[in-house]
Amino acid sequence: MKKWIFAALALCVANPAAAGAPEALPEKTFELGMKYANAAQPDWNKALEMFRLAADWGDARAQHALGRMYHRGTGVARDDAMAFKYFLAAAKNGLPDAFLELGKAYESGYGVEPNEAEAYKYYLLAAEKGSVRGLVNLGQMYEHGRMTARNYEKALNCYRAAAEAGNGAALNSLGAMYDHGRGVREDPAQAAEYYRAAAKAGSEPAMYNLGALYERGRGVEQNYAEAARLYRPAAEKGIPEAADGLARLYENGLGVKINLTEAVRLYRKAAAGGHARAMNRLGVLLAAGQGTPKNESEAAAWFRKAAEAGSVDGMRNWASVCRSGAGTERDAKTAAEWLRKASEAGSGEATHDLALLYLNGEGVEADPAEAARLFERCAASGDAGSMNQLGLMRMTGQGVEKDPEKAVAWFRRAAAAGEAAAMYNLGGAFLHGKGVVLDASTAAEWFRKAADAKHAGAMYQLSRLYDAGTGVDKDPAQARQWLRKAAESGDAQAQTELAMAYDLGSGGAVNHALAAKWYRPAAQHGMPAAQCGLGLLYAMGQGVPLDYAKAVHWLTLAAEQDYAPAMSTLGELYETGLGGEKNLGTAVRLYRRGAELGDELCAASLASLYQAGRGVKRDLAESCKWFALAALEADEGETRAAEALTALENSKELTPEVKLAARAEAEKLYKQIFGEEKLLPALKQ
């Protein structure tokens, strides 16, 4: 048979006029081309040769096959103009699917200038000539109003005609019409039937749509496992929505065991397909290091892509990292721009966040009045957090007229909506009598409600009330219990005070290891007292290994916040060189600043350096002044500074006039520091 075909082909090549001689030759040539194309190892060169010969003889199927090869770049370089030429030839020879391809070409503009009218014409011709896929495409045009007026009735007719031929895309589209109530009464159960039939016909979009019904329990009994079963093949076939849906099930353990690694893989697949929600969720998992190594820069990149793809959550997250600088350059202005876009897209959370930027002048010019306007918009929609913010603004008069009573009204509304911060603020209002009659017992009740709602600050306030017996019976055990709860809930002040209690043995035995445990999170949160406490433990090797370098690190952080108690030990480490390189100049600077802030030890240490001439020029008058200040700053019963002052004054190296002048300067400094006058005992002559 092959010999006969090749002989005939050779004859035709030699004599084109003989092209039509054997009537079956074009058909057999096309079929031979299909064998080459469909072989286990396709021979595209030979397939192309056969298709071209058959096409030249006017075989419409060969012309169509060539059009598809050129359009897809299969066996030849992609050439949409050549593809269009062959589709047009096949259409002229009456092939229904060629009309369909011409419609696609005019719709998307491949090989020809886009032309909606021509696209509609060819889809209509394809449908009239019996192209099932043409019916589906025509139905989609009627359904979505593309290139023609929207007409659900005509869309349904097209889909039903194509569905009768068993077309999966048509069955899926019918399901979608019933799912969303387009041209028919919304009927999720009927939608499920159409989706099921379409899925059996191999439609991956229908598998996703049916899975979505099972996930949500619409039209079918909710079944996460069935949703996962349906999503899986659709996801692997490249349906982004299915990959996102399956990832969501794996992330939350719905119908499958929680598997964050698989969730990340699927979110990546969906994100690569342009799915905005998946981009955002991928960013969230990357930022948290869940199911994948933590990567803030990649997370930020996905948040940005999600935002640009229209994800409102992506906009908020991209704004958040722009504000914090996590994984990207800190840019408050860009954050404000994206929050504004998310707000305009209807996100109440974004509107609230944007209001905070206007309140604080972050990325925008500070405008408390605009912040109040935005908070009021959110509050009108029931946002309790915005109600609470309006209460705070009314309490202080920021952006609105100061009115403590209205502030309390806002707090009450927010508290009624479950806002723990508002309950806490109500407690503060009753504790201090702002906007209400002072009532410590009612304050305690509100603090307890806020504490029950997991508000760490309220837990801390309760610990103080029980410690002092304010509004409640004094109860040190209850005070310690609430202090611990507040610390465990992340309140940095409570963590600091609990650490100090363990450090000093207040209310129990000294436990430096527990002190270090609680100092650390508070220190990391930036609490200077905790940074100082942790630094001192490292300097003494108590509860932690002795480590002067770490001591210097934490004490420096505290000193940079003008926390005077840290400066005396930090200065000593620089004075002795225990913290590394000895640096008397730095020690002098630290002691001086600490003394000016009211620290007795710093004043005494600075006086000693002036007395010995270490790090500064020896100056007994200065030494006398700083010893005098240390004596004034000393706690009752602490006499070491006073004794050092007396010893220096008795050394006979200073005249009475110098001694009196030094004392006067010290008393003046004390008044500047503490705002009150305190005098030294009279100088003994």
Side-chain angles (χ1 to χ4, degrees):
M1 175 66 74
K2 283 187 180 180
K3 289 182 180 178
W4 176 81
I5 292 174
F6 283 122
L9 290 176
L11 174 65
C12 292
V13 171
N15 181 14
E23 195 171 317
L25 186 56
E27 180 180 349
K28 292 185 179 296
T29 305
F30 167 72
E31 290 174 354
L32 183 57
M34 290 299 292
K35 287 182 180 179
Y36 284 125
N38 294 330
Q41 293 185 340
D43 188 332
W44 294 112
N45 287 331
K46 289 184 178 179
L48 185 64
E49 183 181 356
M50 296 300 104
F51 289 152
R52 278 176 175 163
L53 284 168
D56 288 343
W57 288 323
D59 188 276
R61 293 175 303 164
Q63 292 163 342
H64 181 263
L66 281 169
R68 289 169 68 88
M69 288 180 71
Y70 277 108
H71 178 51
R72 297 176 179 178
T74 305
V76 291
R78 178 167 176 167
D79 187 335
D80 285 336
M82 186 65 75
F84 184 83
K85 169 188 169 184
Y86 278 113
F87 287 142
L88 186 60
K92 287 179 179 178
N93 284 317
L95 189 71
D97 282 343
F99 291 96
L100 171 67
E101 295 296 343
L102 289 173
K104 291 179 182 178
Y106 276 112
E107 182 177 4
S108 59
Y110 71 79
V112 68
E113 286 294 317
N115 187 317
E116 293 186 351
E118 286 293 294
Y120 174 74
K121 179 184 81 173
Y122 278 109
Y123 281 145
L124 187 60
L125 285 169
E128 289 174 350
K129 290 183 177 294
S131 169
V132 173
R133 186 64 221 185
L135 280 168
V136 175
N137 282 25
L138 187 61
Q140 289 173 344
M141 293 172 66
Y142 284 128
E143 180 183 355
H144 301 293
R146 295 201 316 267
M147 296 165 278
T148 185
R150 177 173 285 150
N151 189 319
Y152 289 137
E153 184 179 355
K154 288 185 177 181
L156 284 165
N157 289 337
C158 289
Y159 292 149
R160 284 172 176 147
E164 288 177 3
N167 183 272
L171 290 163
N172 179 62
S173 293
L174 279 171
M177 298 286 276
Y178 279 97
D179 197 353
H180 304 292
R182 295 176 186 151
V184 292
R185 181 176 57 83
E186 185 176 305
D187 188 342
Q190 183 63 60
E193 290 304 312
Y194 277 118
Y195 288 148
R196 188 171 287 108
K200 287 180 180 178
S203 169
E204 287 89 8
M207 296 174 194
Y208 163 72
N209 288 330
L210 183 57
L213 292 184
Y214 274 108
E215 183 182 357
R216 297 165 192 158
R218 290 187 70 245
V220 292
E221 186 176 347
Q222 190 172 54
N223 188 327
Y224 293 121
E226 181 65 6
R229 186 189 70 79
L230 288 160
Y231 285 155
R232 190 168 287 109
E236 296 308 322
K237 284 291 186 178
I239 305 296
E241 294 81 3
D244 174 70
L246 188 55
R248 181 170 57 250
L249 297 182
Y250 274 113
E251 184 181 0
N252 297 291
L254 300 172
V256 292
K257 288 184 179 179
I258 288 179
N259 187 333
L260 295 179
T261 302
E262 181 65 1
V264 168
R265 183 187 76 83
L266 288 162
Y267 279 138
R268 283 193 185 279
K269 192 175 184 71
H275 197 283
R277 179 192 176 279
M279 295 174 190
N280 179 62
R281 290 308 306 167
L282 179 57
V284 170
L285 294 180
L286 283 163
Q290 294 180 325
T292 182
K294 185 173 183 176
N295 189 328
E296 290 186 339
S297 60
E298 188 183 359
W302 280 114
F303 287 145
R304 180 172 187 169
K305 288 179 180 179
E308 291 171 345
S311 166
V312 174
D313 287 338
M315 294 175 194
R316 289 189 65 220
N317 285 330
W318 173 233
S320 177
V321 296
C322 285
R323 289 178 69 188
S324 66
T328 189
E329 186 177 350
R330 191 187 298 270
D331 187 345
K333 184 177 179 181
T334 295
E337 290 171 357
W338 280 103
L339 284 175
R340 186 173 291 106
K341 289 179 181 179
S343 173
E344 290 169 354
S347 170
E349 295 92 340
T351 305
H352 176 90
D353 293 345
L354 183 61
L356 290 174
L357 296 190
Y358 275 108
L359 187 63
N360 301 317
E362 185 182 348
V364 292
E365 186 175 344
D367 189 343
E370 175 65 6
R373 187 187 69 80
L374 292 170
F375 283 136
E376 285 173 356
R377 195 169 94 192
C378 292
S381 299
D383 181 62
S386 294
M387 297 175 193
N388 181 59
Q389 284 292 337
L390 287 167
L392 292 171
M393 295 177 77
R394 282 290 181 186
M395 190 63 79
T396 60
Q398 188 178 14
V400 292
E401 183 181 353
K402 184 175 181 178
D403 190 330
E405 291 184 2
K406 286 185 178 179
V408 168
W410 277 116
F411 291 149
R412 288 188 185 278
R413 283 184 61 185
E419 180 69 16
M423 300 173 195
Y424 171 80
N425 288 328
L426 277 171
F430 278 102
L431 185 62
H432 301 291
K434 293 184 176 180
V436 290
V437 176
L438 190 150
D439 187 337
S441 62
T442 301
E445 291 174 8
W446 279 112
F447 284 138
R448 185 176 293 278
K449 288 179 181 179
D452 290 342
K454 310 301 181 186
H455 192 284
M459 298 174 192
Y460 172 68
Q461 286 297 333
L462 277 175
S463 75
R464 296 190 65 181
L465 295 184
Y466 276 109
D467 188 49
T470 303
V472 292
D473 293 335
K474 186 168 184 175
D475 190 333
Q478 278 273 59
R480 186 68 169 259
Q481 179 183 344
W482 281 111
L483 186 65
R484 176 179 291 279
K485 285 184 177 181
E488 290 171 345
S489 296
D491 186 271
Q493 183 62 44
Q495 291 167 342
T496 302
E497 292 188 17
L498 184 60
M500 287 180 170
Y502 282 120
D503 199 357
L504 304 174
S506 304
V510 169
N511 190 323
H512 291 125
L514 285 176
K517 171 189 172 182
W518 289 110
Y519 275 142
R520 192 176 305 281
Q524 291 169 339
H525 193 73
M527 298 293 286
Q531 293 167 339
C532 178
L534 187 57
L536 291 174
L537 292 181
Y538 275 115
M540 295 180 286
Q542 294 179 329
V544 291
L546 182 70
D547 191 326
Y548 290 122
K550 288 183 178 178
V552 168
H553 168 75
W554 289 112
L555 289 169
T556 299
L557 290 176
E560 287 173 349
Q561 297 189 66
D562 266 355
Y563 190 70
M567 296 176 183
S568 60
T569 302
L570 185 59
E572 184 180 349
L573 292 174
Y574 278 110
E575 182 182 350
T576 60
L578 288 175
E581 184 180 352
K582 181 185 290 188
N583 191 324
L584 289 173
T586 298
V588 169
R589 178 180 60 78
L590 286 164
Y591 290 149
R592 186 183 304 278
R593 182 57 182 158
E596 291 170 348
L597 290 169
D599 187 79
E600 168 208 349
L601 295 178
C602 284
S605 295
L606 182 60
S608 295
L609 291 182
Y610 272 110
Q611 186 176 22
R614 298 180 65 245
V616 290
K617 183 179 179 181
R618 189 170 188 265
D619 188 331
L620 295 184
E622 278 293 296
S623 178
C624 186
K625 179 183 77 175
W626 291 112
F627 273 134
L629 181 61
L632 287 168
E633 292 173 342
D635 293 333
E636 188 176 347
E638 176 55 59
T639 61
R640 284 176 295 180
E643 290 168 358
L645 175 63
T646 300
L648 180 59
E649 289 177 336
N650 290 339
S651 68
K652 298 183 180 180
E653 293 187 65
L654 296 171
T655 64
E657 292 78 14
V658 170
K659 297 175 190 177
L660 288 170
R663 282 169 164 252
E665 284 189 49
E667 290 168 351
K668 182 180 178 181
L669 271 173
Y670 183 89
K671 186 173 182 179
Q672 289 174 352
I673 295 167
F674 296 102
E676 60 184 24
E677 191 173 80
K678 186 176 181 181
L679 302 177
L680 289 160
L683 177 66
K684 295 180 181 179
Q685 299 297 330

